[in-house]
Amino acid sequence: MYAEWASLQTAIQTDPGNTSVLNIFPQTVGKDVACAVVKSMSQALSIGVNSNNADNTNRLMSEKDVKWTMEVICYGLSLPLEEHEALRDCVNIYCEWLTALNPQPKSSVPAVLLQEPNDYIQLMFKHLYNVFIPRPKSGIDLVKRQALLCHRVLRHVQLLATESMRNLSRGSWEAMLKFLLAITDTLMAPPKEKDDIGDQIGERVINVLFELWLLSCAHCFPIPSLWKTFRAMSLNWRHHDALVSQWHRINTILTSQLLKDRFGTDYPELQVSDEDGAILPTSMTQDQVIQSWFRFLHIISNPVDLSNIQIISQTPKFLHMALTSEVVIDPAQHNCLRSLPQIFFKAMKSVSILVDAFLGVSQNTVKDDMSFLSSMASSTSMSVRSSMPSINSGGSTPPERRKAKAFSVSGKHKLVHSRSSVSARSDSFSSENLTPYHLTLDSLPVLAAKRPKCNSILHMFGAWLFDGALLGVKVHGEDDMGTSRVRSSSFVDGQDRSQSVITSSSHISANKNSANEAGRAEACGALCRIFCAKKTDESILPVYLARFYIALYHALDVSENQSGPALASVLFNSIDLLRLDLDGVLVLVPRLLDAMEVVLSDTSPKIRYHDQIPLIELRKSAIHLLLSMLCLPLHFKSLTIKDIVKSQDDTTQEPVTVISLRVRITELLLKALLVEVDPMNTQMLLGGLTLLVQDLSVFEEMEKAALSNQDPLADTTTYSVTQPAGLDKDRADSEASVKMTQSESPRSAVSVGSTSSGPDLTTEPETHHQIKARDTAHGLFGQAASVVSNRLMASWKLDLNIALAAIEVILGLSKVKLNPHNSLMCKRTIKWMCDFIVYQCSRPAPSHSKDLHSMIVAAFHCLMSWLVDHHYLLQDKECLHTVLEVVELGISGSKSQNRASDPPKFKAEKDLMPASERVKHAAEAVLDIIIDHVGMFPPPCGPESTCSLLDEDSLLKMHAGYIVPEQQPAKFRYFVLENAIIIGILEKSVNSEDTLPSLTALIRGPFGRHAWSMQLRHLAKSHQNSLTVVNKDPGRPVPDDNIGVHHNITHRHFPEVVDAIPKTKSESSIPSLGQVIDENNLRQEHDKILSFIGAQVDFENKMAAKHKTDREKSPFPNPKVDCKAPSLCDEFQTARLFLSHYGFLTLEALKEPTTASLPPSLVMLNSGNESLSSDLDALDRIPTRSNDTAFVFYVKTKQTAAHSIINNVTSSANVQPQFLAFVQSLGWPIDVHRHAGWTGHMTSSWRTTQEDTPEPYAAGTGGSIYDGRRQVLYWADVSTEIAFVIPSPYMYHLTPQVIPSARPSVDDKLSQIPPPKPPRLADTNAGPPRLADTNAGKSQKPTKSLSLDLPQVPRVETTAPSTPPIDVSSMRKKSSTLPLSPDIKIMIVWLEAWEDHSKFPVDDLLYLTITGQEAATSKLTEKDVHIIFIHSLKSGLYRVHMKGQSGRASLAIPLVDGMVVSERSLGTLVRQTVINICKRRRLESDQYQPPHVKRKHKIQNIVSKYRRKLSEPDFFTALLKPPT
């Protein structure tokens, strides 16, 4: 850079301008003259002037007088320190005379000097140099006095430069800079000694030099010769900490201004303190800033030279010291050089900060970085503890004389946004009370969007960083004795380059210890941050990539030469290394895997890593890298990974393939999961485990399908991933290397079952069969289920977040398709989940909390999924008993039998005391699943509905002879059982030919609606054709007129023996009839009665005789009295029969319970009430499963406008093909109008409406067809249904004017854009999801009394795009009691450019995420929006970024931030993550109620509104009457 310019170093060092004519005389003569003259002159100074000597102030009248006096003062400034008064007077005189250029100079300044001030000031600078010359063998007190004089001189020089800058000539500026260079070189070039003058004022001198040099750059830019001199002389000062401190300080100030000038004020600002900001002259132009920044940046040459004592100690002053000293033989042995590692670290940290400044990275450090340096000096981790003194030892400015300015590499200089930046001054501090701060991955900010390219930053700092990263490393190909490598940067000229050229052998030998590892770690970290800042379409020069890979290869060395700080720094700063499209990055995968095995294998490392990086954060970084490489083996398969440092002659080692690393990756993941103790790290590992199992199972399934297509007769039952040719050998090599490493390498990859910390699940080493079993999805599934279940029971059952993540993993395993099934492991998993529930429910009462119950509820949901997906498990008696026992525990709070030997305790004998209502509801849901859905899901109507799609209207249409008018009269009888089940009974059969008692029952309960058709039969229909002959009708017997002999028998009331018994007196106590008649004169009445009786007897006898005569004359048999079969009964009162036969109709069921708020067990509803049908329809609109919605967006490169983003999906030409494939993998497309499940919006869900003239679906779209108008993507299982909606411009009908809380700015943008016409789609259908309601024609709207009621949305038919939008806000006002769902929005964003995730307009797109389930008072803000960003890499893999508010249980898996996923697993994992996010949100919400609870409350509301309060007789009477 200065090759064509001469250095002034020799001229400055040999300048005789500081010598006086008195030096030729004896010392006593000069001393006497100087003392006498300056003593006389000092009395005339302004500081001591009085009335007596006022006339003596201007004695020097001529130029001759002034020059002679200056010769005397020059000699006086060189007097010994013992002549302190004379020396002080000389300093005072010159300090007064330096004000000659001021607007108001001091009165003591001679008039001659005022005429030509610049010439005299230049001469005074040369004379003042004598003040700073060290006086050997002076006492500490005298040195301190000299330091005070030096401080006074420096202060006045600063005042001269700042107050008289415009009056200074170029010569004066150059003389001042030369003066500062000379005194700095005199004080700082020699080896630092304690308590000498350099120790006292060294830092202040360098401070003044840098500040005034910067000031000169603004007013009189130094010539190149001065810059070259400055740079050459500073190389002799590099053993001083103050030099690097001031170098960093000035670089930071200039860089802060440079960023503002080059990138604008909106670029993240490198914030400096107010004190430092005042140093930069305001008059500096942009060109001056750039030139000054570049020159100051390279003023100390290559900072890596600070790590080499041989370079620093080979200066003339050090060599002179070694020649003259009797103690020091080798210059490198001087004590002051022991602080070089700290100085080197400061320099590299300063370069690192400048790199971060250009990247736009904010450093959120808690403490000033000097705290770390101070603690590093006393840290036991550093091997140089005994040989490295603290920073203040050996010589530095004392705290009491040190300027209130201290070096800070990051604490004082923070990168913040310019709009919100707040300056923070660095206060002085002592090293005693400093503690090191820690870095965390969570504090890493987003890089600036306008940051320079990586190549540009590497051009500036790459040479230094690569040299620092390779410090102490012998690069392959270097000759130990010959070739030397140039470590300086390209801008160094030939003369200066020689000072930084060293041989490899000397470089390595000088750095065998770990003293410089902190600086090397900083260099490695800065390099990693630069390369990880690569943008999507950015390319990096291959030469930089090659050097970077070599540097990382050696930094990740885990052999005996490993560097803990460098390894930790690389892992911490390169978490995105495998998430970028870096060319050839796969060459680092084996090395990264080695380092990760060392870090993740044990929580108690054997080596010391980085003092600023906690072990938990280091392990998290390693986990991030591990999650980035999980899909690499199955994606790249047999791709060979070349060794970048392998010699061409070395052919003994077999090449490593990517697929051969899969076993090691799997083992490392399982091992890390066993020993990890941090909750966040554990959840990340659990997400990776789910990805590993899912990806392997899908891969095997695809491979089997491909193999079966090639060979239909091929046996695939034992197929594994290892079948492709050549992989078995690679795996054997990998296993052999793993075994060898276990015994020889420090990383010692311990088997999964044996850990040095954490629970010891098994102590036996794994067999080859166990390792081989892990190579298939079947075996990995078993190991994953076993590890997670055991750890859940052993260590994770008390932590909510880890427990939920583990349960999500187990639930995800239930969805994995295996052929054949791993039945034994599935059964064990069911047993483990049941044991987990039992343990949690059995914990003491003080331990029960919301978190505990959330874990139990999640476990029940997991159990539900396992039972449905593996229904064959309930065929096992033991498994069924275990599940039902746990369900009983959840519902009642206790088991019927705690032990098998205990007698069972029946339901009626138990007190219902569940752990909580939530637990009870979850257990009830599992019981319903067992009864209704296990082995029967999906139902015949598909997974879109778990219950019957038939309602009253459809059933009436099916009955012959029934016509459904506009207002259908009541045909159903409605009864309520146990205040929980509504039974609508239609006393007709579906088949009109049936003559048996039949009915159709529509049963609505908490778990859905079911339609039953029943007949009262004595034999099943299946037995009709198998009846024997004896069961047939034998026919009528032959008539017989012989009725036998008629015997006349007199019947007695008592036996005859009674007459022989003598009567007693008591029998005569009752008078006879005759006595009564006689006594009461009733004879006449008695006779009348006797006559009536006699007449009746005669009449009856006569009629009997006549009947006998007629019978004898009539034929036999008589057709009039012949027996005939009765006519068939068609009125069976089947409702009564049904209730009676099923035991519902009892006297006890009709009685009012003791609790007044509860109705009887059997209740009849008022079927004639017109509002009942509306409430029943509202009940049917309450879903039986939880429903979720996710919105998918496609973002092209640099898109930030909402209207541009949603316009992308209008055509397939606007999106990547991978996006369309991903969308199809999320679910299956459904027609909104024909779909009976959730459609993404309340107005079109859980109902079917047939279009009159259905339009053909649009073709060639980029996903806009799934915007909810006609189609959405849908997926459902037994407990959850989810809709994926892709908003499009055709949804502009739902503009923000519908939602009052939307931002007006978005309205303005969207209102200016006309909605385009969808391709191949009529305008009549170009609207939002149709708000159709089957009850729109009903005149009366049902009243709402509970918060569970659903809104009755009016039917609105859109006929043209100009149809006014639907006022959803008015709907909310009418239905303020809308049931609440989790207040959460899920967005899935596909990015073409990864950097666009930081500018995604969430607020502008929230209006498109309306589902109709929002609370009436909710605001559409970004407060609770979860976003899943997906970016397609060039390798075919996909990078995932999770963004969302962090809650107590918000880290849902399997997707984890930063994970790299394969295409075959992406859709499944995204869907599972969305569902798990919503599930966790429901667990956190206090307002959420399960669907069956909502339905139960709605049923209770219907009972309270339409119940007929009847007495028992009235109930039976109404039951026997036909429905009215």
Side-chain angles (χ1 to χ4, degrees), residues 50 127 149 251 426 517 862 950 961 981 1016 1106 1372 1457:
N50 51 47
H127 295 172
L149 297 178
N251 285 337
S426 292
E517 291 302 325
C862 177
L950 299 175
I981 299 176
L1016 179 60
K1106 182 180 178 181
R1372 292 179 178 175
D1457 185 22

Side-chain angles (χ1 to χ4, degrees), residues 148 227 391 441 507 538 836 921 944 987 1155-1156 1160 1285 1325 1347:
L148 291 176
W227 280 104
I391 297 177
L441 289 178
H507 181 60
E538 183 181 351
F836 175 78
H921 295 157
E944 65 182 27
E987 297 179 312
T1155 305
V1285 181
N1325 295 319
S1347 63

Side-chain angles (χ1 to χ4, degrees), residues 1016-1142:
L1016 179 60
R1017 306 178 64 90
H1018 295 288
L1019 293 175
K1021 291 183 178 181
S1022 59
H1023 291 173
Q1024 278 185 341
N1025 299 328
S1026 61
L1027 296 178
T1028 60
V1029 179
V1030 297
N1031 290 331
K1032 294 182 179 180
D1033 187 6
R1036 180 171 180 166
V1038 178
D1040 187 3
D1041 192 28
N1042 183 12
I1043 60 176
V1045 179
H1046 180 68
H1047 300 278
N1048 293 326
I1049 302 174
T1050 302
H1051 296 279
R1052 290 176 57 90
H1053 296 291
F1054 297 99
E1056 295 178 356
V1057 68
V1058 175
D1059 297 337
I1061 299 175
K1063 295 182 178 180
T1064 62
K1065 292 181 179 181
S1066 60
E1067 295 182 44
S1068 302
S1069 61
I1070 301 174
S1072 62
L1073 180 61
Q1075 293 176 351
V1076 173
I1077 293 174
D1078 293 340
E1079 292 178 358
N1080 296 298
N1081 298 324
L1082 299 175
R1083 176 63 62 181
Q1084 185 178 357
E1085 288 78 0
H1086 179 260
D1087 293 341
K1088 187 183 292 187
I1089 291 175
L1090 289 178
S1091 64
F1092 291 156
I1093 293 174
Q1096 182 64 26
V1097 171
D1098 294 342
F1099 175 77
E1100 290 180 1
N1101 291 335
K1102 182 179 178 179
M1103 294 304 297
K1106 182 180 178 181
H1107 177 70
K1108 181 177 180 182
T1109 303
D1110 294 340
R1111 190 185 63 179
E1112 292 175 353
K1113 293 180 180 181
S1114 62
F1116 179 81
N1118 189 352
K1120 295 182 179 181
V1121 296
D1122 192 11
C1123 294
K1124 297 179 181 179
S1127 61
L1128 296 177
C1129 180
D1130 57 356
E1131 293 294 338
F1132 300 104
Q1133 299 172 351
T1134 52
R1136 173 184 57 82
L1137 295 176
F1138 168 76
L1139 296 175
S1140 177
H1141 292 174
Y1142 279 86

Side-chain angles (χ1 to χ4, degrees), residues 35-59 85 88-90 92-93 96 107-108:
C35 291
V37 172
V38 298
K39 183 177 180 181
S40 175
M41 293 184 62
S42 64
Q43 297 177 359
L45 295 180
S46 59
I47 58 175
V49 67
N50 51 47
S51 59
N52 297 329
N53 55 17
D55 297 335
N56 299 328
T57 55
N58 293 317
R59 296 178 180 178
E85 292 184 0
R88 180 195 60 194
D89 293 339
C90 293
N92 291 338
I93 294 172
E96 293 283 323
S107 59
S108 60

Side-chain angles (χ1 to χ4, degrees), residues 146-197:
Q146 182 186 9
L148 291 176
L149 297 178
C150 294
H151 280 293
R152 177 172 175 78
V153 172
L154 293 174
R155 183 167 62 253
H156 280 79
V157 172
Q158 281 185 297
L159 292 175
L160 173 66
T162 55
E163 297 179 0
S164 305
M165 62 183 71
R166 299 184 183 277
N167 298 327
L168 285 172
S169 65
R170 170 167 287 276
S172 298
W173 276 106
E174 293 180 357
M176 180 174 59
L177 297 181
K178 292 178 181 178
F179 161 71
L180 293 174
L181 288 175
I183 63 174
T184 306
D185 188 67
T186 300
L187 297 175
M188 308 298 286
K192 185 168 54 176
E193 298 292 344
K194 185 175 178 59
D195 295 333
D196 64 354
I197 186 62

